[in-house]
Amino acid sequence: MAEFEPKILAFCCNWCSYAGADLAGVSRLQYPPNIRIIRVMCSGRVEPEFVVKALSLRADGVLILGCHIGDCHYIYGNHRTKKRMAILERILGYLGIDPARVRLEWVSASEGARFAEVVRQFTEEIKKLGPNPLKEVRA
Amino acid sequence: MIENIRDLARKWLESKEVDAIFGLKEQDGGVAPYLFTGRVNGISELGKLTTSTQYRRLCYTCRPSKDNILSLMQRREPNMKIGIVARGCEERALVELAKRGQIDLEKIKIMGIACSQEEAKECKCERPYPNNLVIGERVEGVSGDENINALLSKSLPERLAFWRHELSKCIKCYGCRDACPMCFCKDCKMEQKIFTETGSLPPEIPMFLFIRFYHISERCIGCGECEKACPVDIPLLTIFRQLRRDMKDLFDYEAGIAVEQESPLLTTLDESPMRKEVTSGV
């Protein structure tokens, strides 16, 4: 049987993380191709419902990438994200979905190498966790 | 106890401290919300003022207009001073509604009444007393919910199996949302096709109820109306109770205690407000 290749959805903020991903690309850094990027204007745009919807639609993991605290283009956008994701993690845990499938990281526009590193680590972790159990639910 | 409530209500009305008392009235063998006005017949009606644990919809939203009874009254009569007989949960609901600009608490005088031990047990209430107790004796709440402990002792796959079973019973009646005093949005995400498919049962697991779990997480006052309203007995309170604990744990926040205490989702990481202008009033 072929090795499990997870599908990972990444929400990248327009101002930092998407530019970081771009930098990783133009610097020709290698990172796993399991990731699909959705660009959002701010990580604060990512509603927890988006994450659950992604999981419900068979994503194996969801990454939310935003600017470092204090660097948000919209001043407090990432403060909101951080608080929301803390609640989201708890609820996912109670519902029986491993909170490790969702990760929030800060990646700035100059951190192309960090972007690749985050994606690499997260993909490894999701591979260890195995396929999303919600796949069965929507079979 | 009910006599004390009626006496105090009469005193408030006669001394013109309030223009009307909003409470439950015995009617046709049941109870219904009623506005006892200061007019003579309003005062004579006070003999029918009552309380009920089965029907506590005083500060709750009216469906399908999605307007809160109190905010409707306040919009129509902005200067009317309303006295309201409120249990602990109802008082917390009032505080949270005021915090979110739904009602004007300045024009409301709360008659906080304590619940008895039996009533607290019936609702599995952790806080069966209001912050400002006016009538009754404070009793300790029911702590240590066995449902929460049972859930927390399960492994992740067991929890998922449990919720798959429970949530697959959902018939999408929206009863939990309609009964919830904190659900007042005109546009409800639970009705949006982009989040949950329409035309099939059970609704998407866990998306449909997750929307409620998340949206009510930081404002849940633990009244238990959702679970009581559920026709298929989904243990919704298990998660809401636990989330109330989590809010204390994560943000040192408890819903329904003080109007000045802003929701942690509206403050920065160091708990200072994000916005200067706070919408208030009706």
Side-chain angles (χ1 to χ4, degrees), chain A residues 47-49 52-53 56 69 76 79-80 83-84 87-88 90-91 93-96 133 136-138, chain B residues 156 159-160 163-164 189 194-195 197 204 207 210 214-215 242 246 249-250 264 267-269 271 274:
Chain A
E47 299 166 18
E49 285 87 344
V52 175
K53 187 73 186 180
S56 167
I69 295 290
Y76 292 131
H79 288 235
R80 288 177 194 270
K83 290 190 159 181
R84 286 174 189 168
I87 301 179
L88 170 70
R90 300 273 173 129
I91 303 181
Y94 303 141
L95 292 176
E136 260 175 73
V137 177
R138 273 174 75 93
Chain B
L156 285 174
R159 288 182 198 176
L160 186 63
W163 284 109
R164 266 183 81 175
K189 246 185 197 169
I194 190 169
F195 291 113
E197 291 161 3
E204 212 173 316
M207 193 62 200
F210 169 81
Y214 171 66
H215 278 225
Q242 184 56 29
D246 282 346
D249 185 25
L250 287 170
T267 55
T268 62
L269 288 173
E271 312 302 331
M274 274 185 209

Side-chain angles (χ1 to χ4, degrees), chain B residues 143-212:
Chain B
S143 63
D145 195 320
E146 68 273 17
N147 285 346
I148 296 179
N149 297 337
L151 179 70
L152 294 182
S153 66
K154 288 188 171 95
S155 69
L156 285 174
E158 281 168 355
R159 288 182 198 176
L160 186 63
F162 171 75
W163 284 109
R164 266 183 81 175
H165 169 69
E166 292 293 339
L167 300 184
S168 66
K169 296 191 291 189
C170 179
I171 56 169
K172 219 175 172 184
C173 67
Y174 292 96
C176 47
R177 180 199 67 179
D178 292 355
C180 182
M182 288 299 119
C183 272
F184 47 72
C185 301
K186 304 266 176 202
D187 287 317
C188 180
K189 246 185 197 169
M190 290 170 93
E191 290 173 15
Q192 288 176 8
K193 281 186 191 162
I194 190 169
F195 291 113
T196 50
E197 291 161 3
T198 53
S200 62
L201 279 179
E204 212 173 316
I205 297 170
M207 193 62 200
F208 185 68
L209 282 162
F210 169 81
I211 298 176
R212 254 190 70 74

